[in-house]
Amino acid sequence: MPGFDRISELPESLITQILLCLPTKDSVKTSVLSTRWKNLWLNVPGLDLTCSDFPFEDEEYEQVFINFIDRFLEFNPESRLQTFEVDYKRREIRGFKDRIGTAINRGIRLLDAVSSTMYWEEECIMYPYLEFMPLNLFTSKTLVTLKLRDSALNDPGLLSMPCLKFMILREVRWSGTMSLEKLVSGCPVLEDLTLVRTLICHIDDDELPVTRVRSRSLKTFYVPLAYGVGCRSRVPDKVLEIDAPGLENMTLKEDHFDGIVVKNLTSLFMIELNIKFAVDYRRSFDPEDLSKRNEIGDFLTGISRARHMIISQKTVKVYISSL
């Protein structure tokens, strides 16, 4: 029947699930449809917000942003909140970490946070502003998916995330005794890990020589091409060690590390390589470099059980040179 509004006749619980598929700014726009729709967006079980959704030139920008989130959290029933996706990379938002902590306490299943990338200057050196995630993140009993970008992580002491299965870490910085190894160790059912390492670090822990990925549950490990074909680690002597007996799929597309060590990859099914084993893009592999030749040989032996391999031309070139 022409002009008949069937969507409005749906139960509110179903409408809010439909609105959950939209960015929050579009969900808010539905409030003008009718009186019934006025506050439906406040009952959507997820927030998907970016700082660009608000007028950046507004002098009260920060407070407007925070007030909007506070209103949403106030009206959204505690037991219904499922997802919390926020992108505020354009500037620091004071107090925002507390809102993330509140969302975690509500029992969200997905957290996707892109932190501020502002920089501050000290003695003519530019340092990134670091947004530390709230400590209750590390004891969440409900999180299934965690996506962090440009965030910083402190050692919480106790670390237990029993439901976390999917984790994407892009340019995350570690502080004190906190490390990727410790984070992964607190996720006993982690299945999928994506890692993009920051190349310029100013936090003590990133000076540790080895970044370890140790997990019995991990099935997929992905290092995407994030910085470009000419990328090479700017922190020397950083080694990536992968010890994952349940790992089935591994993709390494960028030389984030100066060395790669693999252990116990007994379940490996598929591997994709597009790396030069941290051989500087301005020079060729040196056949006389015995330590690098041994490293490449040990790595290839460690992945030899894989049933399928996709190997790029540049990886093959380095391998042939190492023989």
Side-chain angles (χ1 to χ4, degrees):
M1 186 174 181
F4 188 71
D5 184 3
R6 294 185 179 275
I7 294 180
S8 292
E9 290 200 343
L10 296 173
E12 180 175 313
S13 60
L14 183 54
I15 293 177
T16 54
Q17 284 294 325
I18 294 173
L19 293 179
L20 180 62
C21 300
L22 301 176
T24 298
K25 67 175 183 178
D26 294 330
S27 178
V28 172
K29 292 176 183 178
T30 65
S31 62
V32 302
L33 295 176
S34 68
T35 302
R36 187 196 177 197
W37 286 78
K38 184 177 181 180
N39 291 316
L40 276 180
W41 70 272
L42 288 168
N43 290 322
V44 174
L47 186 72
D48 183 358
L49 205 61
T50 72
C51 59
S52 60
D53 295 333
F54 297 83
F56 188 72
E57 65 278 0
D58 193 327
E59 293 181 359
E60 299 181 353
Y61 171 88
E62 290 183 22
Q63 196 57 49
V64 171
F65 191 83
I66 288 295
N67 288 345
F68 182 92
I69 295 173
D70 285 346
R71 186 186 179 201
F72 177 83
L73 291 174
E74 177 184 352
F75 278 84
N76 207 288
E78 182 170 335
S79 61
R80 292 182 56 185
L81 194 60
Q82 300 173 14
T83 66
F84 199 73
E85 302 174 70
V86 286
D87 180 341
Y88 55 111
K89 61 175 175 281
R90 287 172 57 180
R91 63 184 299 172
E92 173 190 358
I93 305 294
R94 288 187 294 270
F96 192 74
K97 179 175 72 173
D98 298 333
R99 275 66 185 182
I100 294 178
T102 299
I104 293 170
N105 285 335
R106 294 281 185 92
I108 56 174
R109 294 171 54 84
L110 181 150
L111 173 63
D112 184 348
V114 181
S115 299
S116 170
T117 53
M118 290 188 66
Y119 282 73
W120 54 277
E121 185 174 340
E122 180 178 321
E123 298 180 352
C124 298
I125 300 177
M126 298 297 291
Y127 292 93
Y129 166 78
L130 298 175
E131 179 74 74
F132 284 88
M133 288 294 103
L135 293 182
N136 66 337
L137 166 68
F138 305 106
T139 53
S140 169
K141 306 301 182 187
T142 58
L143 270 180
V144 176
T145 301
L146 175 63
K147 302 178 183 180
L148 298 177
R149 181 166 186 170
D150 296 309
S151 301
L153 302 179
N154 264 324
D155 190 341
L158 175 64
L159 202 162
S160 176
M161 306 173 75
C163 294
L164 195 69
K165 291 185 176 183
F166 309 97
M167 184 157 57
I168 298 176
L169 304 176
R170 299 180 67 91
E171 300 184 88
V172 167
R173 295 163 175 85
W174 316 91
S175 179
T177 56
M178 188 58 178
S179 65
L180 177 63
E181 181 179 4
K182 184 164 187 174
L183 178 59
V184 171
S185 70
C187 306
V189 297
L190 183 66
E191 296 182 1
D192 195 313
L193 174 63
T194 296
L195 178 66
V196 177
R197 175 177 166 248
T198 179
L199 299 186
I200 302 178
C201 308
H202 300 286
I203 294 186
D204 295 340
D205 188 72
D206 212 83
E207 297 306 314
L208 289 175
V210 182
T211 295
R212 290 187 175 91
V213 177
R214 289 179 173 174
S215 172
R216 300 192 66 83
S217 61
L218 193 65
K219 295 181 179 179
T220 300
F221 180 52
Y222 179 51
V223 178
L225 184 66
Y227 296 111
V229 294
C231 166
R232 185 175 185 267
S233 172
R234 300 180 193 178
V235 181
D237 303 323
K238 285 289 287 188
V239 175
L240 172 65
E241 181 181 302
I242 307 163
D243 185 345
L247 191 66
E248 299 174 357
N249 301 283
M250 181 166 68
T251 300
L252 303 176
K253 288 191 173 183
E254 193 152 52
D255 287 290
H256 289 195
F257 300 87
D258 289 343
I260 304 174
V261 176
V262 293
K263 299 179 179 180
N264 301 316
L265 300 189
T266 54
S267 301
L268 197 60
F269 180 80
M270 166 69 79
I271 186 165
E272 182 175 356
L273 299 177
N274 186 29
I275 57 176
K276 296 193 294 183
F277 299 95
V279 176
D280 197 307
Y281 67 95
R282 286 167 293 198
R283 62 184 175 84
S284 301
F285 174 77
D286 181 5
E288 301 300 321
D289 187 343
L290 183 60
S291 63
K292 179 60 71 172
R293 289 175 59 185
N294 290 337
E295 172 199 321
I296 295 173
D298 291 343
F299 174 82
L300 293 173
T301 299
I303 65 170
S304 60
R305 294 192 182 188
R307 295 182 61 183
H308 298 276
M309 293 186 181
I310 301 174
I311 304 178
S312 71
Q313 181 179 0
K314 68 179 182 182
T315 302
V316 172
K317 183 177 179 181
V318 172
Y319 170 63
I320 292 175
S321 299
S322 70
L323 295 177

